[in-house]
Amino acid sequence: MDCPSLEGSDDSDWEECDDDESEGSVLCLFCMEELVSAEDVFQHCNTEHQFNVQKFVIKNNLDMYGYIKFINYIRSEKPPPTGISESPPGTEAPWDSDQYLQPVLQDDPLLFYDVEEWTNQAPVTMETEESDITLPSQQYRALLERLHQAEARSEVTEGQLHDALKDIDRLRQTAKTFILSDQSKDQHALQPSHGAVAQLREDEDAAYFSSYSHFSIHMDMLQDKVRTESYRDFITTNQHLFKDKVVLDVGCGTGILSMFAARAGASQVIAVDQSEIIYKAMDIVRENNLNHVIKLIKGRVEDIQLPVEKVDVIISEWMGYFLLFESMLDTVLYARDRWLAPGGSVYPDRCTISLIAIGDTKMHSNRVAFWDDVYGFKMTCMRSDVTKEGSVEEIDPETVMSEPSLIKMVDCCSVSVAELDFTADFSLKATRDGTCTGIGGYFDIVFEKDCTNKVYFSTAPNCMKTHWKQTLFLLEKPVDMKQGDLLSGKISVKKNKKDPRALVIRIEIANAGQVLDFQLQ
């Protein structure tokens, strides 16, 4: 019906027009039915479509803008009533977008409805599993405030709990020390080999284990024929040591040693590693149908429990640069003192560290003397920094100019962690004339105890190359030597107090008047 013109009209005409426009002008949210008012639409939605608009608005705490977006969202997207769900806390509701501020229906009466009266005055219905509970709005808001306060207190409590767990972890480690120290029946008659590494918290040791998670480091070790084939030959040619025995593989990596032991007849192999590579090891063991023999455990040896009380054999490839770098032997000794049965063995069982004199004037010039003249400038203060760090590299056997000097022998079946920090005298007898520019270090490994076939390998410069290479300590001042001369001194090797997986090494050369401190890290 057209509205009358202003001319010649009376009030009754306008009243008639208003009545006509109000009839059937509000479209339902979910069907095409038109109703007289917004209230009628809400009632219709509740009775015909089982959707309570008021309850939904209050429950979702929608303000006027949120309500407008919600109405336009339904008009635009046309979801079924059953498809509209509450928005979980902390997530964005599907109607939150500003695009829904644009009206879908021109002059939609629902958009002008004052919903703030609902949130200010209307009671709130809270659903429980058994029934609905209706609360006055004021009480509902008070409950919300108390909930927010409880959440804040919870966050504080979580932080306190985190700190408490750290304290408990430290107490647990201390308790282990006392408990294990009372195990007087242990065949070694030693205090449990804890040391600084065992006292590290898991988060403090995370970087070390993370470095062994990538496949590349395991490829390097597996492709090291001297390393891998020595372990293989030891196990396969001494199967009597493994037949029907329980074997513990400390730091199993990809599980190669565990699989050698399983094929040698072990009744059970327990393989432990804290790095993420353990999950690949599980796949590898299953792929080779050895999961009925090999049990893999993720965790630090110092923190885990084994499924057995004792093991007969412990195998591990724990050696680091200069033998003791990374201090993994500490963990092997911990496992030995805690789980090795009387008469059991640790392999490899014997290791040695030796020193040799190196004469390589070209290398020394490139690394140390270089700083004496850098494009016409003196930078001699940099020399000391170069000679403070031990370097891991392949030493040319042609540069070796002395007989080796043994400075440390380790019996893995009896040594204690405390004995791995040591001081020893050395004497390097020159095999030719030349200038000593540095001291090299290497180690030898022996599988010997109860073996019918002993296996030995060396990381010396004149032997087949390994991934361990050698360790070089450059002298700040080279020393001239004649064949038969002795370069004598003292070396001390200790764990770094700040990082017990690193080494602090001091070399004192008595007849050259030099004292050199090195970091190996």
Side-chain angles (χ1 to χ4, degrees), residues 360-410:
D360 192 336
T361 54
K362 184 178 180 181
M363 175 191 292
H364 192 275
S365 177
N366 289 339
R367 299 186 187 180
V368 182
F370 165 79
W371 299 102
D372 294 342
D373 184 357
V374 182
Y375 292 95
F377 297 98
K378 293 182 178 180
M379 299 186 181
T380 53
C381 61
M382 300 295 291
R383 292 171 60 117
S384 59
D385 290 341
V386 176
T387 55
K388 284 180 181 177
E389 292 186 4
S391 61
V392 176
E393 55 190 272
E394 293 176 355
I395 294 176
D396 184 349
E398 296 297 321
T399 65
V400 176
M401 57 176 298
S402 78
E403 296 175 356
S405 178
L406 179 69
I407 60 168
K408 183 67 175 178
M409 192 190 79
V410 177

Short mmCIF file of all heavy atoms in Angstrom, two decimals, residues 360-410:
data_model
loop_
_atom_site.label_atom_id
_atom_site.label_comp_id
_atom_site.label_asym_id
_atom_site.label_seq_id
_atom_site.Cartn_x
_atom_site.Cartn_y
_atom_site.Cartn_z
N ASP A 360 104.69 -28.55 12.83
CA ASP A 360 104.05 -28.07 11.61
C ASP A 360 104.13 -26.54 11.61
O ASP A 360 103.21 -25.84 12.03
CB ASP A 360 102.60 -28.53 11.55
CG ASP A 360 101.95 -28.32 10.18
OD1 ASP A 360 102.44 -27.43 9.45
OD2 ASP A 360 100.96 -29.00 9.86
N THR A 361 105.28 -26.03 11.15
CA THR A 361 105.52 -24.58 11.21
C THR A 361 104.57 -23.80 10.31
O THR A 361 104.20 -22.66 10.62
CB THR A 361 106.98 -24.28 10.83
OG1 THR A 361 107.25 -24.87 9.54
CG2 THR A 361 107.94 -24.84 11.85
N LYS A 362 104.16 -24.41 9.20
CA LYS A 362 103.24 -23.72 8.30
C LYS A 362 101.89 -23.49 8.97
O LYS A 362 101.33 -22.40 8.91
CB LYS A 362 103.06 -24.53 7.02
CG LYS A 362 102.18 -23.84 5.98
CD LYS A 362 102.08 -24.66 4.70
CE LYS A 362 101.19 -23.96 3.67
NZ LYS A 362 101.07 -24.78 2.42
N MET A 363 101.39 -24.53 9.62
CA MET A 363 100.10 -24.38 10.32
C MET A 363 100.23 -23.34 11.44
O MET A 363 99.35 -22.49 11.63
CB MET A 363 99.66 -25.71 10.92
CG MET A 363 98.39 -25.61 11.77
SD MET A 363 98.04 -27.09 12.72
CE MET A 363 97.67 -28.23 11.39
N HIS A 364 101.33 -23.40 12.20
CA HIS A 364 101.52 -22.47 13.30
C HIS A 364 101.59 -21.04 12.79
O HIS A 364 101.02 -20.12 13.38
CB HIS A 364 102.79 -22.82 14.08
CG HIS A 364 102.93 -22.11 15.38
ND1 HIS A 364 103.45 -20.84 15.48
CD2 HIS A 364 102.56 -22.47 16.65
CE1 HIS A 364 103.44 -20.46 16.75
NE2 HIS A 364 102.89 -21.44 17.49
N SER A 365 102.25 -20.86 11.66
CA SER A 365 102.35 -19.52 11.08
C SER A 365 100.98 -19.01 10.64
O SER A 365 100.65 -17.84 10.86
CB SER A 365 103.31 -19.55 9.88
OG SER A 365 103.37 -18.28 9.25
N ASN A 366 100.20 -19.89 10.04
CA ASN A 366 98.87 -19.48 9.55
C ASN A 366 97.91 -19.14 10.68
O ASN A 366 97.02 -18.30 10.52
CB ASN A 366 98.26 -20.60 8.69
CG ASN A 366 98.96 -20.74 7.36
OD1 ASN A 366 99.62 -19.81 6.89
ND2 ASN A 366 98.85 -21.91 6.76
N ARG A 367 98.09 -19.79 11.83
CA ARG A 367 97.10 -19.61 12.91
C ARG A 367 97.58 -18.72 14.04
O ARG A 367 96.78 -18.02 14.66
CB ARG A 367 96.71 -20.98 13.48
CG ARG A 367 96.07 -21.89 12.47
CD ARG A 367 95.58 -23.16 13.13
NE ARG A 367 95.11 -24.12 12.15
CZ ARG A 367 94.63 -25.33 12.44
NH1 ARG A 367 94.55 -25.70 13.71
NH2 ARG A 367 94.22 -26.15 11.49
N VAL A 368 98.88 -18.76 14.36
CA VAL A 368 99.39 -18.00 15.51
C VAL A 368 100.25 -16.83 15.07
O VAL A 368 99.95 -15.66 15.38
CB VAL A 368 100.19 -18.93 16.46
CG1 VAL A 368 100.68 -18.14 17.67
CG2 VAL A 368 99.31 -20.09 16.92
N ALA A 369 101.32 -17.10 14.32
CA ALA A 369 102.20 -16.02 13.89
C ALA A 369 101.49 -15.04 12.96
O ALA A 369 101.92 -13.89 12.81
CB ALA A 369 103.43 -16.61 13.19
N PHE A 370 100.40 -15.45 12.36
CA PHE A 370 99.59 -14.59 11.49
C PHE A 370 99.27 -13.25 12.14
O PHE A 370 99.26 -12.20 11.50
CB PHE A 370 98.30 -15.33 11.12
CG PHE A 370 97.23 -14.46 10.53
CD1 PHE A 370 97.28 -14.08 9.20
CD2 PHE A 370 96.18 -14.00 11.32
CE1 PHE A 370 96.29 -13.27 8.66
CE2 PHE A 370 95.19 -13.19 10.79
CZ PHE A 370 95.24 -12.83 9.46
N TRP A 371 99.03 -13.28 13.46
CA TRP A 371 98.57 -12.07 14.15
C TRP A 371 99.70 -11.07 14.40
O TRP A 371 99.43 -9.93 14.83
CB TRP A 371 97.92 -12.46 15.48
CG TRP A 371 96.73 -13.35 15.28
CD1 TRP A 371 96.68 -14.69 15.46
CD2 TRP A 371 95.44 -12.95 14.84
NE1 TRP A 371 95.43 -15.18 15.16
CE2 TRP A 371 94.63 -14.12 14.77
CE3 TRP A 371 94.87 -11.73 14.49
CZ2 TRP A 371 93.30 -14.11 14.37
CZ3 TRP A 371 93.54 -11.71 14.09
CH2 TRP A 371 92.77 -12.87 14.03
N ASP A 372 100.96 -11.47 14.15
CA ASP A 372 102.08 -10.55 14.37
C ASP A 372 102.12 -9.45 13.33
O ASP A 372 102.63 -8.35 13.59
CB ASP A 372 103.41 -11.32 14.35
CG ASP A 372 103.51 -12.28 15.53
OD1 ASP A 372 102.74 -12.10 16.49
OD2 ASP A 372 104.34 -13.20 15.48
N ASP A 373 101.58 -9.73 12.14
CA ASP A 373 101.60 -8.73 11.07
C ASP A 373 100.39 -8.94 10.17
O ASP A 373 100.39 -9.78 9.28
CB ASP A 373 102.89 -8.85 10.26
CG ASP A 373 103.00 -7.76 9.19
OD1 ASP A 373 102.06 -6.95 9.03
OD2 ASP A 373 104.03 -7.73 8.48
N VAL A 374 99.33 -8.17 10.43
CA VAL A 374 98.10 -8.27 9.66
C VAL A 374 97.96 -7.00 8.83
O VAL A 374 97.58 -5.95 9.34
CB VAL A 374 96.87 -8.46 10.57
CG1 VAL A 374 95.61 -8.62 9.73
CG2 VAL A 374 97.06 -9.65 11.49
N TYR A 375 98.36 -7.08 7.56
CA TYR A 375 98.36 -5.92 6.67
C TYR A 375 99.12 -4.74 7.27
O TYR A 375 98.71 -3.59 7.22
CB TYR A 375 96.92 -5.49 6.33
CG TYR A 375 96.18 -6.50 5.48
CD1 TYR A 375 95.36 -7.44 6.07
CD2 TYR A 375 96.35 -6.53 4.09
CE1 TYR A 375 94.69 -8.39 5.31
CE2 TYR A 375 95.68 -7.47 3.32
CZ TYR A 375 94.86 -8.40 3.93
OH TYR A 375 94.21 -9.33 3.16
N GLY A 376 100.27 -5.09 7.92
CA GLY A 376 101.12 -4.06 8.47
C GLY A 376 100.77 -3.63 9.88
O GLY A 376 101.43 -2.75 10.44
N PHE A 377 99.75 -4.29 10.49
CA PHE A 377 99.36 -3.95 11.86
C PHE A 377 99.63 -5.14 12.78
O PHE A 377 99.47 -6.30 12.39
CB PHE A 377 97.87 -3.59 11.93
CG PHE A 377 97.50 -2.37 11.12
CD1 PHE A 377 96.96 -2.52 9.86
CD2 PHE A 377 97.71 -1.10 11.63
CE1 PHE A 377 96.61 -1.40 9.10
CE2 PHE A 377 97.36 0.02 10.88
CZ PHE A 377 96.82 -0.13 9.62
N LYS A 378 100.01 -4.83 14.02
CA LYS A 378 100.23 -5.87 15.02
C LYS A 378 98.92 -6.18 15.75
O LYS A 378 98.23 -5.27 16.21
CB LYS A 378 101.29 -5.43 16.02
CG LYS A 378 102.68 -5.30 15.43
CD LYS A 378 103.68 -4.91 16.49
CE LYS A 378 105.10 -4.82 15.91
NZ LYS A 378 106.08 -4.44 16.96
N MET A 379 98.60 -7.46 15.82
CA MET A 379 97.42 -7.91 16.56
C MET A 379 97.81 -9.07 17.47
O MET A 379 97.12 -10.08 17.58
CB MET A 379 96.31 -8.36 15.60
CG MET A 379 95.81 -7.27 14.68
SD MET A 379 94.39 -7.83 13.68
CE MET A 379 94.06 -6.37 12.70
N THR A 380 98.94 -8.92 18.16
CA THR A 380 99.50 -10.02 18.94
C THR A 380 98.62 -10.45 20.10
O THR A 380 98.76 -11.57 20.60
CB THR A 380 100.89 -9.63 19.48
OG1 THR A 380 100.78 -8.38 20.19
CG2 THR A 380 101.88 -9.45 18.33
N CYS A 381 97.70 -9.57 20.52
CA CYS A 381 96.81 -9.96 21.62
C CYS A 381 95.90 -11.11 21.22
O CYS A 381 95.35 -11.81 22.08
CB CYS A 381 95.97 -8.76 22.07
SG CYS A 381 94.89 -8.09 20.78
N MET A 382 95.74 -11.34 19.91
CA MET A 382 94.87 -12.41 19.44
C MET A 382 95.55 -13.77 19.52
O MET A 382 94.87 -14.81 19.49
CB MET A 382 94.45 -12.15 17.99
CG MET A 382 93.69 -10.85 17.77
SD MET A 382 92.11 -10.84 18.60
CE MET A 382 91.21 -12.04 17.64
N ARG A 383 96.89 -13.79 19.65
CA ARG A 383 97.60 -15.07 19.67
C ARG A 383 97.14 -15.95 20.82
O ARG A 383 96.96 -17.16 20.68
CB ARG A 383 99.11 -14.82 19.80
CG ARG A 383 99.75 -14.19 18.58
CD ARG A 383 101.19 -13.80 18.88
NE ARG A 383 102.00 -14.95 19.25
CZ ARG A 383 103.05 -15.39 18.57
NH1 ARG A 383 103.40 -14.79 17.44
NH2 ARG A 383 103.74 -16.42 18.98
N SER A 384 96.96 -15.32 21.99
CA SER A 384 96.60 -16.11 23.17
C SER A 384 95.22 -16.75 23.01
O SER A 384 94.98 -17.84 23.54
CB SER A 384 96.62 -15.23 24.42
OG SER A 384 95.71 -14.15 24.28
N ASP A 385 94.31 -16.08 22.28
CA ASP A 385 92.99 -16.68 22.08
C ASP A 385 93.08 -17.94 21.23
O ASP A 385 92.36 -18.92 21.47
CB ASP A 385 92.05 -15.67 21.40
CG ASP A 385 91.66 -14.53 22.31
OD1 ASP A 385 91.80 -14.69 23.54
OD2 ASP A 385 91.22 -13.48 21.82
N VAL A 386 93.95 -17.92 20.23
CA VAL A 386 94.12 -19.08 19.35
C VAL A 386 94.65 -20.26 20.15
O VAL A 386 94.22 -21.41 19.94
CB VAL A 386 95.06 -18.75 18.18
CG1 VAL A 386 95.30 -19.99 17.31
CG2 VAL A 386 94.50 -17.62 17.35
N THR A 387 95.56 -20.00 21.06
CA THR A 387 96.20 -21.08 21.82
C THR A 387 95.43 -21.42 23.10
O THR A 387 95.95 -22.16 23.95
CB THR A 387 97.65 -20.70 22.17
OG1 THR A 387 97.65 -19.44 22.87
CG2 THR A 387 98.48 -20.56 20.90
N LYS A 388 94.22 -20.91 23.24
CA LYS A 388 93.40 -21.27 24.39
C LYS A 388 92.38 -22.35 24.06
O LYS A 388 91.71 -22.86 24.95
CB LYS A 388 92.65 -20.04 24.93
CG LYS A 388 93.50 -19.09 25.74
CD LYS A 388 92.68 -17.90 26.22
CE LYS A 388 93.56 -16.93 27.00
NZ LYS A 388 92.78 -15.73 27.41
N GLU A 389 92.25 -22.67 22.78
CA GLU A 389 91.25 -23.65 22.36
C GLU A 389 91.92 -24.86 21.71
O GLU A 389 92.72 -24.71 20.78
CB GLU A 389 90.27 -23.03 21.37
CG GLU A 389 89.37 -21.98 21.98
CD GLU A 389 88.30 -21.50 21.00
OE1 GLU A 389 88.24 -22.04 19.88
OE2 GLU A 389 87.55 -20.59 21.37
N GLY A 390 91.61 -26.02 22.22
CA GLY A 390 92.04 -27.23 21.55
C GLY A 390 91.20 -27.44 20.30
O GLY A 390 89.99 -27.19 20.32
N SER A 391 91.81 -27.86 19.22
CA SER A 391 91.06 -28.07 17.97
C SER A 391 91.03 -29.55 17.62
O SER A 391 92.00 -30.28 17.86
CB SER A 391 91.69 -27.27 16.82
OG SER A 391 93.03 -27.68 16.58
N VAL A 392 89.91 -29.98 17.06
CA VAL A 392 89.75 -31.37 16.63
C VAL A 392 89.97 -31.41 15.13
O VAL A 392 89.22 -30.79 14.36
CB VAL A 392 88.35 -31.90 17.00
CG1 VAL A 392 88.16 -33.31 16.46
CG2 VAL A 392 88.16 -31.87 18.50
N GLU A 393 90.98 -32.12 14.69
CA GLU A 393 91.32 -32.15 13.27
C GLU A 393 92.19 -33.37 12.95
O GLU A 393 92.69 -34.04 13.86
CB GLU A 393 92.04 -30.88 12.86
CG GLU A 393 93.28 -30.57 13.68
CD GLU A 393 93.80 -29.17 13.39
OE1 GLU A 393 94.61 -29.05 12.44
OE2 GLU A 393 93.40 -28.23 14.10
N GLU A 394 92.34 -33.63 11.67
CA GLU A 394 93.20 -34.73 11.25
C GLU A 394 94.64 -34.23 11.18
O GLU A 394 94.97 -33.35 10.39
CB GLU A 394 92.75 -35.26 9.89
CG GLU A 394 91.39 -35.94 9.93
CD GLU A 394 90.92 -36.38 8.55
OE1 GLU A 394 91.62 -36.07 7.56
OE2 GLU A 394 89.86 -37.03 8.46
N ILE A 395 95.46 -34.78 12.03
CA ILE A 395 96.88 -34.39 12.07
C ILE A 395 97.65 -35.19 11.02
O ILE A 395 97.53 -36.43 10.97
CB ILE A 395 97.46 -34.63 13.47
CG1 ILE A 395 96.79 -33.68 14.49
CG2 ILE A 395 98.97 -34.43 13.47
CD1 ILE A 395 97.25 -33.91 15.92
N ASP A 396 98.39 -34.51 10.20
CA ASP A 396 99.21 -35.16 9.18
C ASP A 396 100.27 -36.01 9.88
O ASP A 396 101.06 -35.48 10.68
CB ASP A 396 99.87 -34.09 8.31
CG ASP A 396 100.68 -34.68 7.16
OD1 ASP A 396 100.90 -35.92 7.15
OD2 ASP A 396 101.10 -33.91 6.28
N PRO A 397 100.30 -37.32 9.64
CA PRO A 397 101.29 -38.17 10.32
C PRO A 397 102.73 -37.74 10.03
O PRO A 397 103.63 -38.04 10.83
CB PRO A 397 101.00 -39.58 9.78
CG PRO A 397 100.17 -39.39 8.56
CD PRO A 397 99.42 -38.12 8.75
N GLU A 398 102.95 -37.04 8.91
CA GLU A 398 104.30 -36.57 8.59
C GLU A 398 104.77 -35.49 9.54
O GLU A 398 105.97 -35.20 9.62
CB GLU A 398 104.33 -36.05 7.15
CG GLU A 398 104.06 -37.10 6.09
CD GLU A 398 105.12 -38.19 6.09
OE1 GLU A 398 106.31 -37.87 6.28
OE2 GLU A 398 104.75 -39.37 5.92
N THR A 399 103.82 -34.86 10.26
CA THR A 399 104.21 -33.78 11.18
C THR A 399 104.49 -34.30 12.59
O THR A 399 104.94 -33.53 13.45
CB THR A 399 103.09 -32.71 11.26
OG1 THR A 399 101.91 -33.30 11.83
CG2 THR A 399 102.78 -32.16 9.89
N VAL A 400 104.23 -35.59 12.84
CA VAL A 400 104.51 -36.17 14.16
C VAL A 400 106.03 -36.27 14.33
O VAL A 400 106.73 -36.81 13.47
CB VAL A 400 103.85 -37.55 14.31
CG1 VAL A 400 104.23 -38.18 15.65
CG2 VAL A 400 102.35 -37.44 14.16
N MET A 401 106.55 -35.76 15.46
CA MET A 401 108.01 -35.73 15.62
C MET A 401 108.47 -36.29 16.97
O MET A 401 109.55 -35.95 17.45
CB MET A 401 108.53 -34.30 15.45
CG MET A 401 107.93 -33.27 16.37
SD MET A 401 108.70 -31.63 16.17
CE MET A 401 110.40 -31.93 16.63
N SER A 402 107.64 -37.17 17.56
CA SER A 402 108.08 -37.78 18.82
C SER A 402 107.44 -39.15 18.98
O SER A 402 106.46 -39.48 18.30
CB SER A 402 107.71 -36.90 20.02
OG SER A 402 106.32 -37.04 20.34
N GLU A 403 107.98 -39.88 19.90
CA GLU A 403 107.33 -41.11 20.32
C GLU A 403 106.12 -40.73 21.18
O GLU A 403 106.10 -39.67 21.81
CB GLU A 403 108.30 -41.97 21.13
CG GLU A 403 109.51 -42.45 20.32
CD GLU A 403 110.52 -43.21 21.18
OE1 GLU A 403 110.30 -43.28 22.42
OE2 GLU A 403 111.51 -43.70 20.62
N PRO A 404 105.10 -41.59 21.24
CA PRO A 404 103.93 -41.26 22.07
C PRO A 404 104.25 -41.40 23.56
O PRO A 404 105.14 -42.16 23.95
CB PRO A 404 102.87 -42.28 21.63
CG PRO A 404 103.66 -43.44 21.12
CD PRO A 404 104.90 -42.85 20.49
N SER A 405 103.50 -40.65 24.35
CA SER A 405 103.63 -40.73 25.81
C SER A 405 102.25 -41.00 26.39
O SER A 405 101.32 -40.20 26.21
CB SER A 405 104.19 -39.42 26.38
OG SER A 405 104.27 -39.48 27.79
N LEU A 406 102.10 -42.15 27.05
CA LEU A 406 100.82 -42.54 27.64
C LEU A 406 100.55 -41.69 28.88
O LEU A 406 101.38 -41.62 29.79
CB LEU A 406 100.84 -44.01 28.01
CG LEU A 406 99.58 -44.59 28.66
CD1 LEU A 406 98.43 -44.65 27.67
CD2 LEU A 406 99.87 -45.98 29.22
N ILE A 407 99.40 -41.03 28.94
CA ILE A 407 99.10 -40.18 30.10
C ILE A 407 97.91 -40.70 30.92
O ILE A 407 97.73 -40.27 32.07
CB ILE A 407 98.81 -38.73 29.67
CG1 ILE A 407 97.61 -38.67 28.72
CG2 ILE A 407 100.05 -38.09 29.07
CD1 ILE A 407 97.09 -37.26 28.47
N LYS A 408 97.10 -41.61 30.35
CA LYS A 408 95.94 -42.09 31.10
C LYS A 408 95.51 -43.45 30.59
O LYS A 408 95.41 -43.67 29.38
CB LYS A 408 94.77 -41.10 30.98
CG LYS A 408 93.53 -41.47 31.80
CD LYS A 408 93.79 -41.39 33.30
CE LYS A 408 92.52 -41.63 34.11
NZ LYS A 408 92.80 -41.61 35.58
N MET A 409 95.26 -44.38 31.53
CA MET A 409 94.65 -45.65 31.20
C MET A 409 93.37 -45.79 32.00
O MET A 409 93.35 -45.49 33.20
CB MET A 409 95.57 -46.83 31.50
CG MET A 409 95.06 -48.13 30.88
SD MET A 409 95.91 -49.61 31.42
CE MET A 409 95.18 -49.89 33.01
N VAL A 410 92.30 -46.21 31.33
CA VAL A 410 90.99 -46.32 31.97
C VAL A 410 90.51 -47.77 31.88
O VAL A 410 90.41 -48.33 30.79
CB VAL A 410 89.94 -45.39 31.29
CG1 VAL A 410 88.57 -45.59 31.92
CG2 VAL A 410 90.38 -43.94 31.39
#
